[in-house]
Amino acid sequence: MSAKYFNDDHTEHILQAKFGTRAIHAGQHPDPVTGAVIPPLSLSTTFKQHSAGEHNGFDYSRSGNPSRCAFETAVASLEGAKYGLAFSSGSATTATIVSSLPAGSHIVSVNDVYGGTYRYFTKVASVLGVEVTFVDLKDAANVASVIRPNTKLIWIETPTNPTLRLVDIKAVADIAHKSDVKLVVDNTFMSPFFQNPLSLGADIVVHSVTKYINGHSDVVMGVAVTSNDEIYTKLAFLQNSIGAVPSAFDCFLANRGLKTLHLRMRQHAASAQAIAEVLEASPRVENVIYPGLPSHPQHDLAKRQQKGFGGMISFRIKGDLATANAFLRHVKFFTLAESLGGVESLCELPATMTHGSVSAEDRAALGITENLIRLSVGIEDTEDLVADVLAALEASVKL
């Protein structure tokens, strides 16, 4: 990130502003040459130097790019971090962080982790000499018993994907730091608007930018933020050395999406709450998993560490795989597709889609059953989405 490029009299003022103001103004500076209010998309791969080794903060786009820098600055601001580093995908973010560890390291991961992270930990990290232990962290104290002398990292998601279990970030951070272990929190499901793990003790926060931050299902990207100088220096070196960086165009699009994050998240959550409540009241549903419902076993923790409950719902429909597939066929406004966090509503069956790479035994242990349906609630009108879900239930489950 180029401090020289973004240094002006307004930076400190922006950092003290509210979330929506920071989303719009952090990293966004009128072009000094033309005065363009929206900074131009910088597609150049190389930059003129004043003399050998002297430049305006950029020399080669893999090492740094104005469009990427603007996005990194904005995300860091929203997470309350000093530094942001963007990558070509969420998985590339994970891989780069793991690459920062010495061979022979040990990672502790929440067991209910995103399928792509599970695949990387079990199929790739293990080949690189990094061992991963998966632990149920519904009780944060469980992490203490599996920390070893070579444990370097604890990796958690909260809420988890797709069963929306919560992990007490502060409790895990306290345990981790007593053993000089760093804590990484995947904050994709909550976004910076609803949860800020660094303020609860996390050392690194990661996002799949593809999801809520970009919010329009047209960019694949990842980001990591931290306030730790040593961690930043190491990850910035690897970002440049490995080169898994996003294109300037993707950074431009993601930064544009970020500017409406606060507005979108409010609507995602409002509609999700309404849908969760009608699902819970339906005789055609076995159970609903949504942190905003008092019936969620960790509802109190959600209220304590989150600022809202998000737009993701999982529920078990009464019936079997065929019943679940019937529901997925009958919805009109929920598109059957992987991913989440876009303006449009999506639905999927984790057991055969996003978590198909998780072993059948692990899926069973985690409760990822064949009748578990995951909804990514978009920002369409709430009444239309509620009616769509109820009509699909009625068509799929005969009482």
Side-chain angles (χ1 to χ4, degrees):
M1 207 185 292
S2 172
K4 183 176 181 180
Y5 184 78
F6 284 119
N7 185 29
D8 68 20
D9 295 335
H10 301 289
T11 300
E12 190 62 34
H13 184 65
I14 291 169
L15 292 176
Q16 301 304 317
K18 300 294 185 181
F19 188 96
T21 305
R22 283 182 282 132
I24 292 168
H25 291 284
Q28 173 117 347
H29 300 254
D31 184 79
V33 176
T34 67
V37 173
I38 301 300
L41 168 60
S42 180
L43 295 174
S44 184
T45 59
T46 189
F47 302 86
K48 180 181 178 181
Q49 302 192 15
H50 307 298
S51 60
E54 183 185 349
H55 49 73
N56 289 334
F58 302 99
D59 54 5
Y60 185 63
S61 262
R62 173 170 42 79
S63 305
N65 173 280
S67 297
R68 190 171 93 217
C69 189
F71 173 75
E72 292 171 335
T73 301
V75 178
S77 175
L78 296 186
E79 280 287 11
K82 287 175 65 176
Y83 308 108
L85 293 161
F87 298 89
S88 55
S89 68
S91 295
T93 310
T94 301
T96 303
I97 292 172
V98 174
S99 294
S100 72
L101 305 178
S105 295
H106 175 243
I107 297 174
V108 177
S109 171
V110 63
N111 61 342
D112 193 6
V113 74
Y114 164 58
T117 304
Y118 175 90
R119 179 174 57 242
Y120 184 83
F121 283 165
T122 57
K123 305 296 184 183
V124 182
S126 57
V127 178
L128 301 176
V130 175
E131 186 181 356
V132 182
T133 300
F134 296 94
V135 183
D136 182 348
L137 291 179
K138 183 178 180 180
D139 181 355
N142 290 343
V143 76
S145 63
V146 294
I147 292 177
R148 307 174 186 172
N150 63 331
T151 302
K152 302 298 182 183
L153 212 61
I154 296 173
W155 190 289
I156 65 174
E157 297 174 14
T158 179
T160 59
N161 180 12
T163 57
L164 300 178
R165 294 185 176 98
L166 272 59
V167 180
D168 188 327
I169 298 171
K170 186 179 185 305
V172 174
D174 289 345
I175 295 169
H177 296 156
K178 286 177 182 177
S179 299
D180 195 28
V181 175
K182 304 302 183 186
L183 173 63
V184 179
V185 178
D186 185 335
N187 199 30
T188 298
F189 267 34
M190 283 291 98
S191 87
F193 184 68
F194 280 140
Q195 186 169 262
N196 299 120
L198 291 182
S199 68
L200 298 170
D203 299 288
I204 306 172
V205 175
V206 299
H207 291 270
S208 172
V209 173
T210 312
K211 315 307 193 294
Y212 286 112
I213 287 180
N214 178 61
H216 292 78
S217 301
D218 53 10
V219 166
V220 173
M221 230 171 110
V223 70
V225 302
T226 184
S227 292
N228 183 296
D229 295 343
E230 182 181 352
I231 291 173
Y232 167 72
T233 300
K234 186 177 292 187
L235 293 181
F237 173 80
L238 291 171
Q239 180 196 46
N240 183 43
S241 299
I242 297 172
V245 294
S247 71
F249 186 63
D250 281 353
C251 292
F252 181 86
L253 286 177
N255 204 3
R256 183 173 67 173
L258 183 70
K259 297 183 189 311
T260 58
L261 180 64
H262 56 302
L263 304 176
R264 290 184 285 108
M265 292 310 297
R266 291 188 186 112
Q267 182 61 26
H268 285 301
S271 291
Q273 185 73 39
I275 292 169
E277 289 173 2
V278 299
L279 283 171
E280 190 168 53
S282 173
R284 294 177 167 86
V285 173
E286 281 185 9
N287 69 303
V288 184
I289 311 169
Y290 182 66
L293 294 174
S295 59
H296 191 289
Q298 295 168 297
H299 180 64
D300 289 340
L301 175 58
K303 290 192 293 184
R304 189 166 70 247
Q305 74 179 13
Q306 300 169 192
K307 302 180 185 75
F309 303 116
M312 300 301 298
I313 303 170
S314 291
F315 73 97
R316 292 183 179 87
I317 195 168
K318 278 191 177 176
D320 53 16
L321 178 60
T323 314
N325 276 320
F327 174 88
L328 298 173
R329 287 195 305 271
H330 281 101
V331 283
K332 306 300 183 186
F333 296 124
F334 285 82
T335 301
L336 177 59
E338 296 194 7
S339 199
L340 59 103
V343 292
E344 70 290 326
S345 293
L346 301 177
C347 58
E348 66 114 0
L349 197 69
T352 58
M353 295 173 66
T354 54
H355 288 67
S357 62
V358 178
S359 68
E361 294 78 15
D362 286 344
R363 287 200 305 270
L366 294 170
I368 304 176
T369 56
E370 291 185 338
N371 66 334
L372 180 73
I373 295 170
R374 191 188 76 179
L375 302 179
S376 172
V377 179
I379 62 170
E380 302 93 338
D381 285 299
T382 302
E383 295 81 359
D384 290 330
L385 297 180
V386 169
D388 190 28
V389 167
L390 290 177
L393 281 174
E394 186 174 352
S396 307
V397 183
K398 304 304 179 184
L399 299 178

